[in-house]
Amino acid sequence: MRFNSKLPDVGTTIFTVMSRRALEEGALNIGQGFPDYPIDPRLARCLVDVIGEGRNQYAPMEGVTELREQISSKLHGSYGLRFDPQSEITVTCGGTEALYDAVQAVVGPGDEAIIFDPAYDAYEPAVRLAGARCVRIALAPPAFRFDWDQVRRALNERTRLIIINSPQNPSCTVADRNDLDALAALIRDRPITVLADEVYEHVLYDCRRHASVLAHPELREHSFAVFSFGKTLHATGWRIGYCVAPPALTRELRKVHQFNTFSIVSPLQYAVARYLRECPDAWTGLSAFFQAKRDLLTGLLRGSGFEPIPAAGTYFQLVDYGALSTDSDMDFADRLIREAKIATIPLSPFYAAPPAMTLLRLCIAKRDETLETAAARLRAFVR
Ligand SMILES: Cc1ncc(COP(=O)(O)O)c(C=O)c1O
């Protein structure tokens, strides 16, 4: 067969690779980011009810009105600001589709998009499929701080997009208001849009508050903000996300969305809308819920040789195995699967040019028993 691959160097994602290896080796998978506990039974009940009520045909392209109205109320609850469900909110197939649509909407051949490594793996392929290229700026472990002077030096007349992710997967760090101010100053008077991946908006630790681009008066005018009910409602398989952006950006995003997925599974949208109406505070305890899990896991691992790196947000936890081995993270992760029967996610695949580091990502969105078993296996591996 003769054709030219558009992404010749893109293989299977590291999440799929490690999950597949976990299955092959019978390992406990605390690598990939999905909960192993049930969703709220009230949410499940809403889905059964709306299907019974016949909510089974095409949803409107931009998302069902009830859900967009609930999202608008939720945004008001979180950030104290009003967003118009008609012109500023679009329901998508998970955060992933929103990211893809936003990229296609604003970048094209010859353009450049800036992304920060370690970068979530969906960004670069979307940019390349739009015919553009990514300029990757590495954040150095273990602090992973932004260097905004470096970003300024990377800007040129081709720069059209800057993608930020806060709380950031996989570094578990968060951007603060100063970072957003620096970003706003950089794009001022330039034709650059911001794509803010905020799917972990509700998972920040130690009393930190999320700095959303939506709450930043200047950035809000130039940004797509992407969210995910997969993360917020512990239902990653439902694939319901949404994008919030000013009307002009939303119009362009919807042009892509309507020929990409057209519309999202209607009973799921109605179910989430009903659930948010009936349980409007369902998501407010997320930080406390995950902080307890973070503290449980880090408490069990401290002193084991798998040293936890302080996590500010996301439902992940990094550990440094540098005291145990000088193996590459890919090799060491594979050894853990075989010998400790634990699947983790190495960090180097999230970098274009990985720095020297010995870090693995663990997912804490797991039952306490799962985290205890994982910690016991890691400790037993060291002994
Ligand atoms: C940083 C980040 N962005 C986007 C996504 C995708 O979200 P969704 O599962 O809603 O497509 C994920 C999922 O893990 C993520 O970690």
Side-chain angles (χ1 to χ4, degrees), residues 220-260:
R220 177 183 169 175
E221 297 302 314
H222 302 278
S223 300
F224 295 101
V226 169
F227 303 93
S228 169
F229 283 118
K231 311 296 176 188
T232 301
L233 303 181
H234 312 284
T236 58
W238 281 34
R239 313 297 305 125
I240 307 273
Y242 54 100
C243 183
V244 184
L249 289 178
T250 293
R251 266 195 304 279
E252 294 307 306
L253 176 115
R254 287 180 182 174
K255 290 178 190 173
V256 181
H257 166 71
Q258 74 176 338
F259 296 114
N260 184 2

Side-chain angles (χ1 to χ4, degrees), residues 94-96 99 120 123 165 169 197 199-200 228 231 239:
T96 307
L99 293 168
Y120 183 63
Y123 307 149
N165 172 211
N169 172 21
D197 179 345
V199 300
Y200 299 104
S228 169
K231 311 296 176 188
R239 313 297 305 125

